[in-house]
Amino acid sequence: MSLVEVSDLSISFGDVRAVDGLSFSLEAGGALGVVGESGSGKSASAYALLGLHRGTGAKVSGSIRVAGVDVSAADDAELRALRGAKAAMVFQDPLSSLDPYYAVGDQIAEVYRVHNRASRRAARARAVEVLDRVGIPDAARRSRSRPHEFSGGMRQRALIAMALACEPQLLIADEPTTALDVTVQAQILDLLHDLRRETGMGLLLVTHDVGVAAESVDEVLVMQSGRAVERGPVGEVLVAPREPYTKALLSAVPRVTEPRVPSDTAADDGEVLVEADGVRQVFGRGKSALAAVDGVSLTVRRGETLGVVGESGSGKTTLGRMLVGLLEPTEGRLTRDARVQMVFQDPVSSLNPRRSIGESVADPLRASGQRDGAAIRARVRDLLARVGLDPDSYDRYPHEFSGGQRQRVGIARALAAEPELIVCDEAVSALDVTTQAQVTALLAELQRELGLALVFIAHDLAVVRQVSDRVAVMRQGRIVEEGEVDQVYGDPQDPYTKQLLAAVPALDPALAAVRRAARKELAAA
């Protein structure tokens, strides 16, 4: 009997059919990647394996068996026994999955005690054991820490530890690396690979990142609009896809090895719009002072794209905020001879949910002194059309748009001020690959037509290579390497740059295995 058997699964939320006649199986010890764009039904299918749609109003039909349990027919007690003990899930956002008020070790121990007749002392010991197993340093001490005291990567490791506490037969990982830096992502994927090999557990990995699937699974299932469009060994599907949708999905994935097509407007002797000379940004005072940006010098010229890469905490976002004037440098000199705007990472938090998107786009126009309501509305309609949105959507609200559409709204709002420079702070990091490609293509088109300069801040090195003319690599507040993008990517000089590039997921599973082995050798050295 297979570890997972799904037959003719359909899931509807009201009038929306999220999953439509899906069938697949997973053998014990196997690893299956479920890949597709946002809205393809990936996560809805994964949640159904643990009966998580029960009581939500969703209509679920079809047959689901997990570790011998008929999920559809199981009562609440049987589902509780399944969840955690036989099958466990790691969610995308560890902060929303961990209780902020309790120590991480106590939360893991509680999961263990729910499924095992164990004393508090034994449960605590088990929590420390699994935290150590997933690579949390000084696990006994850190088990007493609360979630906010962990970094993003450590929180994700803690969630994996919680999932492992009861030695499940199946681990379901729903976008477990989406919000992580490329090096931390590589560590988590290597961890999942090692855990599978050591424990024999099965893995169902849900991801929109095809490279993550190549790193982690044996087989891949490609979903579109709730249906399976292709399935097979990961090497065959990703190297020689049969279906047009799979081919389109793969073609949208940026490659870190592909040379950049230079911007038509970029020029070495272009007008300097922004120049930073030894700028520092220090937060806090005395012993608690932290130099988020520490002595950075750079220039941005008209029409070019400067990529800024680095891990979380490297100072990328702080530098971007200084470039647009949201922060003034603590030290150093910053000259800004241009109109500047910023496109933020999360359009949900940067758009007021109580105001229509048209009103949000109109804010820069009103701030510049325009008062003619009809003229403002006409200008906003033009801007919405310019970024590929329906101009009649002026009166709609942010929640009525997809993530990619909301990001287009953010770009339209930035354009309203007629900037010469736009700083994009992780503007595509939360988008699936096809939407990401659409937004970066839009930015390139706007750059060509309007002569814009762009500063593109991201932790995704492949995206940065595709969009940038020059790149600056940041670490601990400093620029450790800077130059033409093909030069830096093709012949990196700094060990940190080499480390970042080595951690980028490879679409070829054979190459992914070679890189994983190389990372292990580097870690052991």
Side-chain angles (χ1 to χ4, degrees):
M1 179 184 295
S2 299
L3 178 61
V4 177
E5 294 178 343
V6 174
S7 178
D8 198 27
L9 173 65
S10 292
I11 304 172
S12 297
F13 300 96
D15 296 331
V16 177
R17 176 158 290 200
V19 180
D20 189 6
L22 179 67
S23 298
F24 67 89
S25 62
L26 173 63
E27 300 304 311
L32 174 66
V34 183
V35 177
E37 299 171 281
S38 297
S40 63
K42 309 184 303 296
S43 294
S45 303
Y47 289 8
L49 299 185
L50 296 180
L52 295 178
H53 295 302
R54 185 170 294 185
T56 66
K59 183 179 179 181
V60 180
S61 62
S63 173
I64 307 170
R65 295 190 69 87
V66 176
V69 176
D70 184 339
V71 175
S72 301
D75 58 27
D76 290 345
E78 289 171 319
L79 280 183
R80 283 195 297 271
L82 170 67
R83 299 167 183 163
K86 296 181 178 180
M89 194 161 193
V90 176
F91 294 93
Q92 177 175 349
D93 180 12
L95 269 183
S96 64
S97 304
L98 294 168
D99 193 315
Y101 294 103
Y102 293 95
V104 168
D106 290 343
Q107 297 183 55
I108 297 173
E110 182 64 22
V111 169
Y112 186 71
R113 293 189 72 219
V114 165
H115 295 283
N116 298 272
R117 293 182 177 178
S119 66
R120 292 185 182 276
R121 176 175 293 182
R124 284 282 308 171
R126 177 60 177 164
V128 172
E129 179 184 348
V130 290
L131 283 171
D132 180 69
R133 176 61 199 87
V134 299
I136 299 292
D138 196 4
R141 180 178 65 84
R142 295 312 303 268
S143 70
R144 296 188 289 273
S145 300
R146 287 172 172 75
H148 74 273
E149 299 177 90
F150 279 23
S151 67
M154 288 178 66
R155 283 194 291 264
Q156 200 60 284
R157 287 174 184 268
L159 270 191
I160 295 172
M162 185 180 293
L164 292 175
C166 298
E167 300 181 348
Q169 301 171 48
L170 171 67
L171 180 66
I172 303 169
D174 182 22
E175 301 278 12
T177 63
T178 296
L180 303 179
D181 298 319
V182 63
T183 50
V184 181
Q185 172 179 271
Q187 293 165 11
I188 296 298
L189 296 179
D190 290 349
L191 171 62
L192 291 174
H193 181 272
D194 291 344
L195 290 172
R196 273 188 58 218
R197 185 184 60 195
E198 293 173 13
T199 67
M201 69 178 182
L203 173 66
L204 185 83
L205 176 68
V206 175
T207 180
H208 69 259
D209 190 327
V210 183
V212 167
E215 290 269 349
S216 313
V217 301
D218 309 316
E219 288 192 296
V220 64
L221 171 70
V222 182
M223 291 189 67
Q224 180 188 25
S225 302
R227 293 178 173 270
V229 296
E230 186 164 359
R231 179 179 178 176
V234 64
E236 292 181 12
V237 174
L238 299 189
V239 175
R242 299 186 308 273
E243 297 299 320
Y245 175 73
T246 310
K247 293 177 182 178
L249 196 64
L250 286 167
S251 67
V253 178
R255 268 76 163 177
V256 76
T257 54
E258 289 184 2
R260 151 78 167 156
V261 178
S263 302
D264 297 336
T265 54
D268 292 338
D269 59 352
E271 175 191 356
V272 174
L273 300 180
V274 175
E275 182 175 8
D277 183 10
V279 296
R280 299 184 80 231
Q281 183 61 243
V282 179
F283 296 110
R285 295 181 179 180
K287 293 182 179 180
S288 63
L290 171 68
V293 174
D294 192 8
V296 166
S297 298
L298 55 77
T299 59
V300 184
R301 298 179 182 273
R302 185 177 299 280
E304 77 165 344
T305 300
L306 172 66
V308 181
V309 300
E311 297 173 288
S312 295
S314 63
K316 305 187 304 295
T317 293
T318 301
L319 176 61
R321 289 174 180 267
M322 284 197 290
L323 293 178
V324 299
L326 293 176
L327 291 171
E328 289 301 321
T330 307
E331 296 177 24
R333 180 176 58 86
L334 197 150
T335 306
R336 195 182 303 107
D337 294 323
R339 296 183 301 276
V340 295
Q341 285 290 306
M342 196 164 194
V343 176
F344 297 91
Q345 174 176 356
D346 182 9
V348 174
S349 62
S350 60
L351 293 171
N352 189 329
R354 295 180 176 85
R355 302 181 70 214
S356 73
I357 59 107
E359 289 300 301
S360 290
V361 174
D363 282 343
L365 301 175
R366 294 195 175 96
S368 68
Q370 296 187 41
R371 294 291 179 265
D372 185 333
I376 290 174
R377 193 175 186 93
R379 174 61 175 152
V380 170
R381 285 174 58 87
D382 288 343
L383 288 167
L384 292 176
R386 186 67 199 79
V387 298
L389 295 173
D390 183 353
D392 292 334
S393 59
Y394 186 108
D395 295 313
R396 293 171 62 191
Y397 288 83
H399 73 273
E400 299 179 71
F401 294 84
S402 68
Q405 289 173 325
R406 284 194 291 262
Q407 201 57 284
R408 289 172 184 265
V409 173
I411 295 170
R413 182 174 58 183
L415 291 175
E418 299 184 351
E420 298 163 280
L421 166 66
I422 296 179
V423 175
C424 301
D425 182 21
E426 297 280 11
V428 298
S429 64
L431 306 178
D432 55 53
V433 289
T434 50
T435 308
Q436 187 179 85
Q438 292 165 6
V439 172
T440 54
L442 170 63
L443 289 169
E445 180 184 344
L446 293 169
Q447 184 178 45
R448 286 192 300 270
E449 295 185 5
L450 304 175
L452 294 172
L454 297 174
V455 174
F456 199 90
I457 297 170
H459 65 260
D460 189 326
L461 277 77
V463 173
V464 168
R465 177 158 198 175
Q466 297 304 304
V467 303
S468 304
D469 301 298
R470 293 188 298 120
V471 63
V473 182
M474 291 194 69
R475 184 186 190 192
Q476 296 177 352
R478 296 178 176 269
I479 293 179
V480 298
E481 189 160 359
E482 182 182 4
E484 298 296 320
V485 68
D486 288 342
Q487 176 187 342
V488 172
Y489 278 65
D491 186 23
Q493 300 300 304
D494 191 88
Y496 179 67
T497 309
K498 295 177 182 179
Q499 178 186 351
L500 287 179
L501 290 169
V504 175
L507 286 178
D508 182 345
L511 178 58
V514 171
R515 288 186 175 181
R516 183 165 51 244
R519 290 195 293 266
K520 284 187 177 181
E521 289 183 9
L522 188 63

